[in-house]
Amino acid sequence: MENKVIYIAGLGLIGGSLALGIRRDHPDYKILGYNRSDKSRNVERGIVDEATADFKEFAPLADVIVLAVPIKQTIEFIKVLADMDLKDNVIITDAGSTKREIVEAGEKYLAGQSVRFVATRPNPGSHKSGAIAAEVNLFENAYYIFTPSRLTDASTIADMKVILSGLHARYIEIDAAEHDRVTSQI
């Protein structure tokens, strides 16, 4: 996977740390970011190559779109992406804390599109927040959970593992409903 364009919406602790981890193993990837806050559009730290306050601006350029925003915003962005002209076979993923609603939204709004969709849950431990707390090692040895959907083809998770290799995380797959049941008990 050479010269990919990765677009991360939400440059807080999770999104910023994802960008740093991706860049560690893939310095040739172009990493674009979206954040409403000027303070979090932290290009200077090298978190992203370019940043925008307009979510739609970079989406058509991306090979991978990561939605690292709150659940309701993730679902709204999925709806927006469904109406956009995106690259064929773009991977759309998220970093939300619960999965069932996101998988349902992906399957509903992205069905019939030329996209690959897989919901994910990175599970780092940190009490910090915001782009200023982004850390390249945040996901090291942490579980990174994939919750496949009907829009996840055989290559999607394998491709994501290559893209995310710099996180040094432990990858597992689980059904979205099972993920939510287990995490609600913890």
Side-chain angles (χ1 to χ4, degrees):
M1 294 192 157
E2 67 292 321
N3 300 328
K4 294 285 182 195
V5 176
I6 311 298
Y7 181 31
I8 300 175
L11 297 175
L13 173 68
I14 299 298
S17 297
L18 285 170
L20 292 172
I22 291 168
R23 184 173 309 285
R24 174 173 26 203
D25 273 12
H26 305 287
D28 55 329
Y29 286 8
K30 184 169 190 171
I31 302 178
L32 306 173
Y34 157 83
N35 221 70
R36 290 181 317 190
S37 164
D38 288 335
K39 195 165 75 172
S40 290
R41 275 185 258 124
N42 196 342
V43 179
E44 298 80 32
R45 267 188 76 201
I47 290 178
V48 295
D49 297 306
E50 296 178 51
T52 184
D54 176 6
F55 173 70
K56 292 180 179 181
E57 182 178 357
F58 294 145
L61 308 175
D63 297 296
V64 178
I65 300 171
V66 179
L67 304 174
V69 294
I71 307 292
K72 287 183 181 179
Q73 187 66 57
T74 295
I75 293 168
E76 288 305 311
F77 281 169
I78 288 170
K79 291 177 187 177
V80 168
L81 292 170
D83 290 332
M84 294 186 70
D85 186 20
L86 304 173
K87 284 186 177 180
D88 283 342
N89 293 313
V90 61
I91 296 175
I92 299 173
T93 188
D94 78 300
S97 57
T98 60
K99 304 283 53 130
R100 186 185 51 79
E101 285 181 281
I102 291 170
V103 167
E104 288 173 357
E107 289 179 343
K108 177 179 179 180
Y109 297 108
L110 299 173
Q113 308 278 342
S114 180
V115 303
R116 298 184 289 161
F117 173 75
V118 61
T120 67
R121 168 78 189 278
N123 243 349
S126 179
H127 63 284
K128 299 176 183 177
S129 65
I132 194 72
E135 168 62 45
V136 70
N137 293 316
L138 184 68
F139 303 103
E140 192 164 339
N141 292 317
Y143 287 107
Y144 201 101
I145 302 166
F146 292 96
T147 56
S149 74
R150 292 189 308 250
L151 302 177
T152 307
D153 72 20
S155 66
T156 305
I157 293 173
D159 287 349
M160 284 299 297
K161 287 179 181 178
V162 170
I163 292 162
L164 300 173
S165 62
L167 302 182
H168 302 160
R170 298 174 184 206
Y171 303 106
I172 61 173
E173 293 179 40
I174 189 171
D175 173 76
E178 180 71 5
H179 169 274
D180 291 355
R181 186 186 65 73
V182 169
T183 55
S184 72
Q185 293 173 350
I186 298 172

